[in-house]
Amino acid sequence: MKNRKLVMIPGPTPVARSTQNEMGRETTAFGDPLFVRDFKGLIEDLKVMMNTDGEVFVVAGTGTMAMEMAVANVTKRGDNILLVSHGFFGDRFIDLCQRKGLNVDVLASEWGKAVPVEEIDRKLSEKSYAAVTVTHVDTATGVCAPVAEIGEMMRKHPETIYIVDGVCASAAEPEDMAGMGIDVLLTGSQKAFGVSPGLAIVWAGKKALERRKQLGTIPEFYIDFEKWLPIMENPAKYFATPAVNLIWALKDAVRIINEEGLKERQDRHRKVAKATQAAMEALGFRILAEEGYRAVTLSNLIYPEGVDDLEFRNTLSEEGVFVAGGLGAYAGRMFRLGHMGNIDMHDSVSAIAAIERTLYRLGKHSELGKGVGVFMKEMMG
Ligand SMILES: *Cc1c(COP(=O)(O)O)cnc(C)c1O
C-alpha cells in the first residue's frame, strides 16, 4: 500500500476535516441572516485575536493581495516607503511599491540574517517615511523579524505607519498589534490559520484608518479600506461578494485556534520548531536562519554535503512527504519544511522518519531513528 501524502510545505498547510466540511456546505446568500451572524462573529474574533483598536478586513484574495491592500491604503504616489527585507517575500514589496509611484528605500539583510533594529531606526531618522514594511517570517529564509522590538523603536517615529507581513507567522508567532505598535498586519488563509487558499486578512489599527481617511480617493477600488469598512461593520451590506464558504472555513479554523488557546498554540509551535531543528541538525542539515531569529513556522534546511536536491525531494515524495525547494541563491542547496498550523505530533514524527528513510536510500545515513529519537526526546523533555 502506498503511503498517504503528508504536505509539509510553507502553505497551503493541512486543513482540518471540520474546516473542509465548511467548504462543502451548501452555499447560501451572503444576506442570509445566519451567514451574516457567522461573518460578524468571525470579524469580532479576529480583532480580539490580534488586539487591534481598529478594523479587520476579510476579503477574497491571497497574501500578495493583502500586501498590496496594506500599502495602497496608507501611502500615496510620491511618498517615501522603507522596506525591511529578509528574503524573497520582503523583496516582493519592491516592485509592488514602485508600481504605485512610491520612493522605495530597501534595507536588506544577507539571507539568513536579520537587519539590526538600530539600522532601521537610523534610516527612519534620515527622512520622513509614510510607511515601513517588515516581513514577520520570510518564508524564503526562515528568518523571524523582531517585530516587537521594531514596534518599540517605531514609537520614536509616529508619522510612519508600521506594516507587518504576517503571512507565514500570524496565528503561530506572537502578534499583538496594540502591544507591539503594529499599525497594519496582514496574512493569507492558507498558512498558519490552516484554511485553504483564497482569503486575504488585513488588520488596520486606528492610526492606519486615520491615514486612509487623509488620503482621500485612492486609485485602487476593490482593495480600498473605505469600500469595505461598512461591510466589516455590518456584513449584511454589500460591496463585493464575500467568499461565503471560505469565511465559514476560516471561522472554523479560528474556533480550533481558540480551543487550543492562542498562547498555547504559539508555545506548541515554538516547541515543535526547536525539536524539529535539533533533529535536522542531528541528521547533518544546517539551518539557514541565524540563532535567535529562527521562525517557528518553518525550517529552511541546507543539505549535507553530497545530497542532490531533486533526488532528495523526489525520494522523499515517494516516501510520502511533500516539502518545498529553496528559493533564489539557495535553489538546489536547501529545502523548506513547513511545521505550522494543524501539523501534529503524528505528522512531525512521520515527516522526520521519512526524511531519515530518504537519506538512507540515498546512502547518506545509516543510523535510522536518530532524528526521530532527538525529536521525541526534545518533545518529551
Ligand atoms: C506566502 C507568502 C506571501 C504570499 O502569499 P500568497 O498567498 O502566495 O499570495 C507573502 N508573504 C509571505 C511572508 C509569505 O510566506
Side-chain angles (χ1 to χ4, degrees):
M1 189 183 140
K2 267 188 92 162
N3 283 321
R4 273 178 293 127
K5 289 279 182 218
L6 185 53
V7 180
M8 300 284 283
I9 62 173
T13 61
V15 180
R17 171 46 56 196
S18 60
T19 307
Q20 291 185 43
N21 288 346
E22 292 297 314
M23 292 187 291
R25 279 173 69 178
E26 187 166 335
T27 305
T28 186
F30 57 82
D32 182 331
L34 292 179
F35 172 72
V36 170
R37 187 200 63 192
D38 287 346
F39 197 1
K40 199 162 180 52
L42 171 65
I43 290 164
E44 287 315 311
D45 287 349
L46 287 171
K47 287 200 274 195
V48 170
M49 182 186 282
M50 297 306 175
N51 192 24
T52 181
D53 59 3
E55 193 49 85
V56 66
F57 301 88
V58 182
V59 178
T62 76
T64 305
M65 194 189 77
M67 292 165 69
E68 184 149 20
M69 192 165 181
V71 172
N73 282 282
V74 298
T75 60
K76 61 176 190 304
R77 184 168 278 278
D79 278 350
N80 299 322
I81 189 164
L82 180 63
L83 312 180
V84 178
S85 178
H86 296 141
F88 180 84
F89 287 100
D91 287 351
R92 176 164 282 197
F93 277 111
I94 300 173
D95 191 15
L96 190 158
C97 291
Q98 282 172 342
R99 284 165 187 240
K100 294 190 185 302
L102 300 171
N103 299 319
V104 172
D105 285 330
V106 184
L107 274 177
S109 62
E110 187 190 324
W111 276 31
K113 301 219 177 333
V115 174
V117 178
E118 311 78 68
E119 226 175 283
I120 306 172
D121 186 17
R122 198 173 325 123
K123 202 82 190 162
L124 290 172
S125 308
E126 279 172 13
K127 59 181 169 190
S128 176
Y129 287 94
V132 59
T133 67
V134 174
T135 310
H136 196 165
V137 171
D138 199 303
T139 324
T141 56
V143 168
C144 180
V147 291
E149 208 185 312
I150 296 170
E152 195 52 46
M153 174 278 292
M154 289 295 297
R155 293 187 201 281
K156 287 193 273 175
H157 308 280
E159 76 287 0
T160 306
I161 298 287
Y162 180 24
I163 300 172
V164 173
D165 172 352
V167 180
C168 196
S170 301
E173 301 274 5
E175 286 170 335
D176 171 343
M177 291 181 69
M180 298 176 176
I182 300 169
D183 298 308
V184 184
L185 176 66
L186 64 101
T187 193
S189 50
Q190 79 277 23
K191 306 250 171 136
F193 273 87
V195 178
S196 295
L199 284 180
I201 310 162
V202 182
W203 292 261
K206 260 207 183 80
K207 196 169 125 190
L209 293 174
E210 273 159 27
R211 171 69 62 82
R212 168 63 198 90
K213 279 222 159 59
Q214 287 163 11
L215 295 177
T217 306
I218 61 169
E220 292 80 3
F221 184 75
Y222 177 68
I223 57 173
D224 185 353
F225 284 172
E226 292 282 304
K227 294 284 185 199
W228 286 107
L229 263 176
I231 285 77
M232 297 303 140
E233 282 158 9
N234 175 11
K237 290 187 179 165
Y238 170 79
F239 168 56
T241 310
V244 172
N245 289 71
L246 277 170
I247 284 166
W248 274 331
L250 181 59
K251 188 177 171 60
D252 186 65
V254 170
R255 176 191 61 77
I256 291 172
I257 292 165
N258 287 338
E259 267 176 26
E260 181 177 11
L262 190 58
K263 169 82 171 54
E264 288 73 13
R265 187 180 174 87
Q266 291 160 359
D267 291 346
R268 166 171 66 86
H269 276 83
R270 197 171 338 108
K271 194 167 179 188
V272 168
K274 207 167 153 277
T276 304
Q277 288 164 1
M280 290 297 116
E281 283 183 318
L283 295 176
F285 292 92
R286 213 159 54 71
I287 296 153
L288 173 61
E290 66 180 326
E291 229 168 315
Y293 297 93
R294 288 179 183 167
V296 302
T297 46
L298 86 163
S299 298
N300 295 37
L301 301 156
I302 299 166
Y303 291 115
E305 202 61 50
V307 175
D308 179 77
D309 174 45
L310 273 185
E311 199 181 10
F312 175 85
R313 284 193 289 132
N314 287 339
T315 311
L316 185 57
S317 160
E318 284 171 15
E319 291 294 332
V321 176
F322 273 124
V323 295
L327 297 171
Y330 285 89
R333 292 172 55 200
M334 179 179 88
F335 81 95
R336 295 178 299 146
L337 180 68
H339 35 73
M340 69 185 111
N342 296 316
I343 300 285
D344 66 9
M345 182 73 98
H346 294 303
D347 298 330
S348 293
V349 170
S350 289
I352 294 164
I355 288 167
E356 290 201 49
R357 293 197 302 276
T358 299
L359 291 174
Y360 182 84
R361 280 177 60 186
L362 301 184
K364 303 291 178 198
H365 177 51
S366 54
E367 207 184 316
L368 286 172
K370 186 181 182 186
V372 170
V374 168
F375 178 81
M376 291 199 293
K377 270 186 214 118
E378 288 274 337
M379 290 303 290
M380 304 311 285

